[in-house]
Amino acid sequence: MTDRKEFRDLASPAEAHEVVASLDLAPEPERVPLDECRGRVLAERVDADIDVPGFDRASMDGYAVRARDTFGADESDPVVLPRTGVVHAGEEPTIDVEAGECVEISTGAVMPDGADAVVPVERTHEADDGIAFEAAVAPGDSVMAAGADVAAGERALGPGTELTPREIGLLSALGVAEVPVRGTPTVGVVSTGDELVRPGEALDHRAGEIHDVNSYTIAAAVEEAGGEAVLYPHAGDDYDELARQLRTAADECDLVLSSGSTSASAVDVVYRVIEERGDLLFHGVAIKPGKPMLVGRLGGSAYVGLPGYPVSALTIFRTFVAPAIREAAGRREPERATVTGRLATGERYGQGRTRLMPVGLVTDGTGETLVYHVDKGSGATTSLVEADGVVEMDADTDYLAADEAVTVELFSPDVRPPAALCVGEDDPLFARALDAARNPRYLAEGTRSGFRRLRDGLPDVVVASGPGEPDEATEEIAAWTREWGLIVPEGNPAGVTDLADLATGDRSIVNRTTASGLRASFDAALEKSGVDPQDIRGYERTVRAHESPARAVARGDADVGLGLRASAATLGLGFVSLGTERVRVLVNPDRREKAGVETLAAALDGVAGLADDLPGYEAQ
Amino acid sequence: MTDRKEFRDLASPAEAHEVVASLDLAPEPERVPLDECRGRVLAERVDADIDVPGFDRASMDGYAVRARDTFGADESDPVVLPRTGVVHAGEEPTIDVEAGECVEISTGAVMPDGADAVVPVERTHEADDGIAFEAAVAPGDSVMAAGADVAAGERALGPGTELTPREIGLLSALGVAEVPVRGTPTVGVVSTGDELVRPGEALDHRAGEIHDVNSYTIAAAVEEAGGEAVLYPHAGDDYDELARQLRTAADECDLVLSSGSTSASAVDVVYRVIEERGDLLFHGVAIKPGKPMLVGRLGGSAYVGLPGYPVSALTIFRTFVAPAIREAAGRREPERATVTGRLATGERYGQGRTRLMPVGLVTDGTGETLVYHVDKGSGATTSLVEADGVVEMDADTDYLAADEAVTVELFSPDVRPPAALCVGEDDPLFARALDAARNPRYLAEGTRSGFRRLRDGLPDVVVASGPGEPDEATEEIAAWTREWGLIVPEGNPAGVTDLADLATGDRSIVNRTTASGLRASFDAALEKSGVDPQDIRGYERTVRAHESPARAVARGDADVGLGLRASAATLGLGFVSLGTERVRVLVNPDRREKAGVETLAAALDGVAGLADDLPGYEAQ
């Protein structure tokens, strides 16, 4: 086994870039049909092989003449010439234009011999003895000479040109049916990790199975960068099979990617195959989240091992690998898309290496950008869509203060801040209202979190339920009530009727976290009824999301769940009502005019409609 | 036949937008496999169907413990707990964590029953009787609870979300193998016009045949906008076949496009089919170049007829049709990409309708953008690649002065001004140097045009040959000589030996236009030798490009062509030398520091290498 101690020193980000750039990923150029070349890059210069147009072409509908025959003509004293024939586009002229004559001609038609100009039909009228010309023309007027557009032998498009509809138009004109383009680098994506299961297949949660996220994410990112992704079947826990797939991928692809397995044995397989076939170039970059990055050569192919967590894998891919794929495909680096903003809250970090901190954006009432750390814990996949880009924190910086100006590198130039940033109570009716808005973002962290974030000045909208009130002034743009209570198995087999039934200790409950407004309503009801929470079995077993207690009941994992009548109905469970609570949509007054807030407010005007088939909901 | 007089009034651009928007192009939504959904748009909301993670998951390598067992531990006084087992990722724990014990655990593994926290391995060391814990942890530390990322029943992604690698990652995590997406609008492209020939097939120039440019350009633009283009076979001059294809396309597609045939009968066919199956909504927009635009319904499909000239067709497509396709596909309107600049030269127009004037861009020495009209004549296909965008001139504006500030709508947000704008003499060696530069633009309009444009302050670089000198100060960055003379058929059958042989009038010549430096060298030689140009047959027959006279000789269309020894060699023709002329690459001194100019200068440092196999060339 290769001695990993060689790589105890992490590569600097600059060294990592250099090593990855030195891997030659460029495949052979190829020729593709004209109608499939969009987005590809010319491998070589294309010179014109023919004149365009290939003949002297009329560029107006009118009459082909010898220009000198029109000299002196004007509206008051037109020159009349007999019309001796007609030429349409796409036909060979059967008649010449002799001195003192004219021939009718269509746009695009071949100029008949003898003629040297076209008089547009608008400058003529029919006369008794021919066509009356109301204006003189010069030789060449309204005629495009053969080769005037592009002439045989001229350079038409240079190597490295990206082929958009415009270049495709020029290639068509030149008659180029097969286009010489840069090859598409083939990138094999090998999935490692015993715990991974393909989406669409069922998971065994007890065995710690999870869906394979990185393979699909990275494959899509490979294609976005201009590569062709090849997904290899998951090798599971068979390490010989994994070794075989790495070898096959190295034979078939220009680059092989895998994303970090947590299992040491998988890493050993990678080391073994690299040792057998190539070189290990470095292991680990001094960047968070890049420490586990591994780069090497596998025979004729290159190999990059990405970190295992999805946000880390994609960040490292974007930072180090995508530029190499674009370079190989001949694609331009996209305009580096950055925005500057100020940090909503202070951020501490001090591990002596550069950090790429995932952040979200929100536009404040004055159009300025606020930047907040998206910190859902290592391995959260929702961070993929809840972050808009990264802020690079220097190795030397261990604290960024609130309001500090930062530069955000966006995940792509298309990324825009959400139209409305909403935080607060998870609620099915509000989720429906979100569907009407374009590009909203909802952080369903609970009512208390909504209030806390409002103190930081972050959200546009807070969704609140239960007894709490925000410290800040807000404007209520919509409100409704929802019926809540105890969710029990269908038919309520244990015969739960009220809160007192929970205090006997023979039914286990699943509760909500204290951030939830519904939990606050529950606690208030307990207090009112005099039931001691300590007597409720499972009172400390809390979950974040509104439907989770009901789901625990549905799968037989608890006797009772705190939840909504609507959730019980959705899941076909029994329900013991304990009351209703008001859900309020509160807007940060500075943000009331934001277009996304307006859209949301308009959607919530129809709150009665949105509540329509949600049992226990009532518009207010 | 529909009475076209109804549409004598042109639609306003706003009316045209409204009518096109009213055509419903949206196909039914569909479900596509996860690995094919990149770039598509969600048709409906996706809620989480499972908890992610599906179990309480260790988020660090370390030891699963009961947090309370670590209370009080620190580096100087660690707590030691016996290690009773190990749990890897992807396996079901076979052991519980009892009070006072610990179990080794890998990142991603299922938390064993009994444990409520993980102590990272870095905060531990092996001790004689177990694992020594150097820090206390709280319940939940280094554990991601089931559903903490996203919980079953939560709204995960909203309708209308564009699917990038990030959203694909979240869908993978949720196990969504088939993704509900908006349908891709199918757009039939029907080619009309007798004169059109598919690229790859030979043209009959005498019959006025040209390659079909619009079908490929528009098909590529359709795909860029998110549609699927279907190219129908060219119907040629068979109008029944054209009618049949329009009907088929209308049955098979959401939208049918054709681009203006100049033949009245083709338009009649379109009218006939529209009358038979649908409605004609308008014909003609008050915009240049949109006058011939035609919009209607063809049964269940929509129909738009585009103008015939490629730049016009693409401009009208981009302005009116692409937004409707994007809307149907659910794609966002791209950020409107505009740049402001000042006009290099005055521009006159006054036809009482809005004009979308194609323009090119160049960055001056101070980084400011100069804008110039790309005016290669109607129907030029090179304008497609030589223009960067359009300037909208109001119907009321009939003159824009030089230096006036204008806003350019770029053809796409990717468009950037050329790295170096070069104008002047067409020369094969210079064309090779251009290959080394990324995104250069070369307008091979001749030496005189180079000098004229330099007076307007436009180009970065002028390529000059022959006796002329620019009025402005320039810096010469490279020079070479090229041998020129008379190109004759192979073996020189007519025995041409010098200029005097041309004056006999029995050999016809093809000359270059007066913009060419080579032409100036020719005229100077004639004057020196005392030959009267009037005695040379074909002296007035001039062509723009350097190889065109030689090509006329090659196809037997002239006895003699003015040209370069290099061109004679390329085409296997005879050559009578008349001397050498110097070709100079002159840089506008204000632009010397531009990166593109530097690249070009570096490439031209190797002028000897570039001249290598070009006969008659010598580096200087």
Side-chain angles (χ1 to χ4, degrees):
Chain A
M1 204 177 93
T2 307
D3 181 6
R4 294 192 213 163
K5 293 196 177 66
E6 288 175 39
F7 299 97
R8 202 184 299 160
D9 292 335
L10 300 178
S12 72
E15 286 163 348
H17 272 295
E18 202 176 305
V19 171
V20 175
S22 77
L23 302 168
D24 178 23
L25 311 182
E28 292 297 303
E30 54 181 330
R31 303 183 91 80
V32 298
L34 180 62
D35 57 359
E36 294 171 16
C37 73
R38 188 176 71 85
R40 303 296 293 268
V41 174
L42 275 188
E44 55 189 65
R45 188 167 107 192
V46 173
D47 290 342
D49 209 31
I50 55 171
D51 284 343
V52 179
F55 50 91
D56 294 342
R57 182 173 72 175
S59 43
M60 302 285 277
D61 289 339
Y63 296 90
V65 296
R66 297 183 172 205
R68 72 183 58 186
D69 288 345
T70 67
F71 291 175
D74 63 24
E75 278 186 60
S76 60
D77 185 17
V79 168
V80 177
L81 302 174
R83 174 187 165 288
T84 57
V86 57
V87 197
H88 291 301
E91 65 184 32
E92 187 170 349
T94 53
I95 192 164
D96 293 356
V97 173
E98 306 293 343
E101 294 177 359
C102 72
V103 162
E104 189 180 337
I105 196 162
S106 319
T107 305
V110 179
M111 287 293 285
D113 283 345
D116 60 8
V118 169
V119 185
V121 66
E122 295 82 3
R123 315 302 299 273
T124 67
H125 61 266
E126 305 244 354
D128 286 345
D129 41 359
I131 304 301
F133 293 87
E134 301 160 3
V137 291
D141 278 5
S142 298
V143 175
M144 182 178 263
D149 190 356
V150 55
E154 282 195 291
R155 181 183 193 274
L157 292 168
T161 304
E162 288 194 34
L163 301 174
T164 74
R166 305 184 296 132
E167 287 75 22
I168 290 169
L170 181 54
L171 291 170
S172 307
L174 296 173
V176 177
E178 299 266 307
V179 188
V181 294
R182 304 276 294 251
T184 300
T186 310
V187 181
V189 179
V190 174
S191 155
T192 72
D194 304 355
E195 70 280 25
L196 300 183
V197 170
R198 194 173 289 272
E201 291 171 20
L203 298 178
D204 180 353
H205 294 313
R206 289 163 315 162
E209 289 181 349
I210 57 172
H211 284 119
D212 181 1
V213 171
N214 286 338
S215 292
Y216 296 88
T217 310
I218 296 302
V222 162
E223 301 200 334
E224 197 172 71
E228 184 190 340
V230 182
L231 285 177
Y232 285 86
H234 182 49
D237 58 357
D238 181 341
Y239 291 109
D240 289 335
E241 176 63 14
L242 175 58
R244 206 187 57 74
Q245 283 192 356
L246 283 171
R247 287 186 205 104
T248 307
D251 289 341
E252 294 175 348
C253 301
D254 300 302
L255 168 66
V256 179
L257 297 176
S258 69
S259 59
S261 171
T262 51
S263 109
S265 10
V267 174
D268 286 348
V269 174
V270 169
Y271 270 87
R272 196 169 77 207
V273 175
I274 287 182
E275 188 179 48
E276 177 189 298
R277 307 206 136 199
D279 303 300
L280 181 59
L281 299 173
F282 69 82
H283 190 179
V285 192
I287 198 164
K288 182 186 162 84
K291 219 164 158 181
M293 184 185 186
L294 195 156
V295 176
R297 273 191 243 273
L298 283 183
S301 179
Y303 171 79
V304 177
L306 301 169
Y309 283 139
V311 174
S312 305
L314 190 57
T315 301
I316 291 301
F317 177 86
R318 285 185 58 254
T319 307
F320 296 101
V321 185
I325 293 175
R326 279 193 292 266
E327 173 67 30
R331 297 269 196 103
R332 277 193 308 206
E333 264 317 273
E335 203 84 57
R336 201 163 159 262
T338 58
V339 293
T340 54
R342 56 194 173 79
L343 216 52
T345 55
E347 199 51 49
R348 190 172 299 283
Y349 186 73
Q351 292 189 23
R353 53 187 170 123
T354 305
R355 179 191 193 192
L356 301 176
M357 175 173 71
V359 295
L361 305 178
V362 60
T363 309
D364 75 8
T366 66
E368 220 193 318
T369 301
L370 277 175
V371 178
Y372 61 97
H373 182 200
V374 174
D375 183 17
K376 300 202 63 167
S378 296
T381 53
T382 41
S383 308
L384 285 167
V385 299
E386 287 177 8
D388 297 306
V390 294
V391 167
E392 185 172 325
M393 277 179 85
D394 270 357
D396 311 332
T397 306
D398 57 4
Y399 187 67
L400 291 172
D403 280 333
E404 193 151 333
V406 291
T407 299
V408 179
E409 179 153 2
L410 299 178
F411 285 136
S412 89
D414 297 335
V415 169
R416 286 166 226 178
L421 178 65
C422 315
V423 185
E425 191 74 8
D426 195 357
D427 181 82
L429 188 149
F430 186 70
R432 293 181 177 186
L434 286 173
D435 290 350
R438 190 130 202 188
N439 192 28
R441 177 171 292 155
Y442 187 57
L443 308 178
E445 302 171 336
T447 300
R448 243 170 55 176
S449 174
F451 293 160
R452 178 177 55 76
R453 295 226 192 220
L454 194 62
R455 282 198 294 277
D456 293 337
L458 197 67
D460 299 320
V461 173
V462 170
V463 183
S465 80
E469 288 297 332
D471 295 336
E472 282 68 28
T474 56
E475 183 184 336
E476 183 179 298
I477 59 167
W480 55 90
T481 56
R482 58 183 191 179
E483 193 175 4
W484 66 275
L486 304 176
I487 294 175
V488 293
E490 194 185 356
N492 194 3
V496 176
T497 57
D498 59 19
L499 286 172
D501 287 343
L502 297 178
T504 62
D506 39 292
R507 283 119 183 173
S508 68
I509 192 171
V510 175
N511 200 351
R512 297 285 306 282
T513 53
T514 53
S516 159
L518 183 59
R519 160 70 177 266
S521 292
F522 181 49
D523 286 347
L526 286 173
E527 194 170 345
K528 198 169 159 195
S529 71
V531 173
D532 183 351
Q534 299 303 321
D535 297 335
I536 302 177
R537 183 150 62 92
Y539 178 82
E540 301 295 345
R541 184 177 171 198
T542 60
V543 293
R544 180 186 50 81
H546 79 278
E547 213 172 275
S548 298
R551 296 222 175 211
V553 171
R555 66 174 178 261
D557 201 16
D559 302 311
V560 178
L562 175 62
L564 305 177
R565 176 183 283 281
S567 300
T570 303
L571 298 167
L573 297 168
F575 180 73
V576 179
S577 181
L578 293 174
T580 62
E581 64 169 8
R582 198 152 174 270
V583 181
R584 294 163 294 157
V585 180
L586 306 172
V587 171
N588 176 340
D590 296 342
R591 314 281 176 84
R592 184 63 186 84
E593 313 292 318
K594 280 182 71 169
V597 174
E598 298 278 8
T599 313
L600 205 55
L604 287 165
D605 269 350
V607 62
L610 294 170
D612 218 16
D613 55 348
L614 280 174
Y617 272 73
E618 217 160 300
Q620 288 225 310
Chain B
M1 200 175 98
T2 307
D3 181 6
R4 293 189 214 165
K5 293 196 176 67
E6 288 175 39
F7 298 97
R8 204 186 292 161
D9 294 334
L10 300 177
S12 72
E15 285 163 348
H17 273 296
E18 204 175 301
V19 171
V20 176
S22 77
L23 302 167
D24 178 22
L25 311 182
E28 291 297 302
E30 54 182 332
R31 301 183 93 82
V32 297
L34 181 61
D35 57 359
E36 295 171 16
C37 74
R38 188 176 71 84
R40 303 296 292 269
V41 174
L42 276 187
E44 55 190 64
R45 189 167 108 191
V46 173
D47 289 344
D49 209 31
I50 56 173
D51 282 345
V52 179
F55 51 92
D56 293 344
R57 183 173 73 175
S59 42
M60 302 286 277
D61 288 340
Y63 297 89
V65 296
R66 299 183 173 207
R68 72 184 58 188
D69 287 344
T70 67
F71 292 174
D74 63 24
E75 279 184 59
S76 60
D77 186 18
V79 168
V80 176
L81 302 174
R83 172 185 164 290
T84 57
V86 56
V87 196
H88 291 301
E91 66 183 34
E92 187 169 349
T94 52
I95 191 164
D96 293 354
V97 173
E98 307 293 343
E101 294 175 359
C102 72
V103 162
E104 188 181 337
I105 195 162
S106 319
T107 306
V110 179
M111 288 292 285
D113 283 345
D116 59 10
V118 170
V119 185
V121 66
E122 295 81 1
R123 316 302 299 273
T124 68
H125 62 264
E126 306 243 356
D128 286 344
D129 41 0
I131 305 299
F133 293 87
E134 301 160 3
V137 291
D141 277 4
S142 299
V143 176
M144 183 179 264
D149 190 356
V150 55
E154 282 196 291
R155 182 184 193 272
L157 293 168
T161 303
E162 288 194 35
L163 300 174
T164 74
R166 303 186 295 132
E167 287 77 22
I168 290 169
L170 181 54
L171 290 169
S172 307
L174 296 174
V176 178
E178 299 266 307
V179 188
V181 294
R182 303 277 295 250
T184 300
T186 310
V187 181
V189 179
V190 174
S191 155
T192 72
D194 304 353
E195 70 279 24
L196 300 182
V197 170
R198 193 172 288 272
E201 291 171 19
L203 297 177
D204 180 353
H205 294 314
R206 288 164 316 162
E209 289 182 350
I210 58 173
H211 286 118
D212 181 0
V213 171
N214 285 340
S215 292
Y216 297 88
T217 310
I218 296 302
V222 162
E223 300 199 333
E224 198 172 70
E228 184 191 340
V230 181
L231 285 178
Y232 285 86
H234 182 48
D237 57 359
D238 181 342
Y239 292 108
D240 288 336
E241 176 62 15
L242 174 58
R244 206 187 57 74
Q245 283 192 355
L246 284 171
R247 286 186 205 105
T248 307
D251 288 342
E252 293 175 350
C253 302
D254 300 302
L255 169 66
V256 179
L257 296 176
S258 68
S259 60
S261 171
T262 52
S263 109
S265 11
V267 175
D268 285 347
V269 174
V270 169
Y271 270 86
R272 197 168 76 210
V273 175
I274 287 182
E275 188 179 48
E276 176 189 299
R277 308 206 136 199
D279 302 302
L280 182 58
L281 299 173
F282 70 82
H283 189 180
V285 192
I287 199 165
K288 181 186 163 85
K291 221 165 157 180
M293 185 186 185
L294 195 155
V295 176
R297 273 193 242 273
L298 283 183
S301 179
Y303 170 81
V304 177
L306 300 169
Y309 283 138
V311 175
S312 306
L314 190 56
T315 302
I316 291 301
F317 178 86
R318 287 184 56 254
T319 308
F320 296 100
V321 186
I325 293 175
R326 280 193 292 266
E327 174 66 30
R331 297 268 196 103
R332 275 193 308 207
E333 262 319 271
E335 204 83 58
R336 200 163 159 261
T338 58
V339 295
T340 54
R342 57 193 170 80
L343 215 52
T345 54
E347 199 50 50
R348 192 172 297 283
Y349 185 74
Q351 290 189 23
R353 52 187 172 124
T354 304
R355 179 192 191 189
L356 301 175
M357 176 172 73
V359 296
L361 305 177
V362 60
T363 310
D364 74 9
T366 64
E368 219 194 318
T369 302
L370 277 175
V371 178
Y372 61 98
H373 182 199
V374 174
D375 183 16
K376 302 203 62 170
S378 295
T381 52
T382 41
S383 308
L384 283 168
V385 299
E386 288 178 6
D388 297 305
V390 294
V391 167
E392 185 172 326
M393 277 179 84
D394 270 358
D396 312 332
T397 305
D398 57 4
Y399 187 68
L400 290 172
D403 280 333
E404 193 151 333
V406 290
T407 299
V408 179
E409 178 154 3
L410 299 177
F411 285 137
S412 89
D414 297 334
V415 169
R416 286 166 225 176
L421 178 65
C422 315
V423 185
E425 193 73 8
D426 194 358
D427 181 83
L429 188 148
F430 187 71
R432 292 181 177 186
L434 286 173
D435 290 350
R438 191 131 201 188
N439 192 26
R441 177 171 291 156
Y442 188 56
L443 310 178
E445 302 171 336
T447 298
R448 244 170 54 176
S449 173
F451 293 161
R452 178 177 54 78
R453 295 224 191 223
L454 195 60
R455 281 198 296 276
D456 293 337
L458 196 68
D460 299 320
V461 172
V462 170
V463 183
S465 79
E469 288 297 332
D471 296 336
E472 282 69 28
T474 57
E475 183 184 335
E476 182 178 299
I477 58 166
W480 55 88
T481 57
R482 60 183 189 179
E483 194 176 3
W484 65 276
L486 304 176
I487 293 175
V488 293
E490 195 187 356
N492 193 2
V496 176
T497 59
D498 60 19
L499 286 173
D501 287 344
L502 297 179
T504 61
D506 39 290
R507 283 119 182 170
S508 68
I509 192 171
V510 174
N511 200 353
R512 297 285 303 284
T513 53
T514 53
S516 159
L518 183 58
R519 161 69 177 266
S521 292
F522 181 49
D523 285 347
L526 286 175
E527 194 171 343
K528 196 169 163 199
S529 70
V531 173
D532 183 351
Q534 298 304 322
D535 296 335
I536 302 177
R537 184 148 63 91
Y539 178 81
E540 301 295 345
R541 184 179 172 195
T542 60
V543 292
R544 180 186 50 81
H546 80 279
E547 213 171 274
S548 298
R551 297 223 174 208
V553 171
R555 66 175 178 261
D557 202 15
D559 301 310
V560 178
L562 176 62
L564 305 176
R565 176 182 285 282
S567 300
T570 302
L571 297 167
L573 296 169
F575 181 72
V576 179
S577 180
L578 292 175
T580 61
E581 64 168 8
R582 198 154 176 266
V583 181
R584 293 163 294 158
V585 180
L586 307 172
V587 171
N588 176 342
D590 296 343
R591 314 282 175 85
R592 184 63 185 84
E593 314 293 318
K594 280 181 71 169
V597 174
E598 298 277 10
T599 313
L600 205 54
L604 287 165
D605 270 349
V607 63
L610 293 171
D612 219 16
D613 55 350
L614 280 174
Y617 271 74
E618 218 160 299
Q620 288 224 309

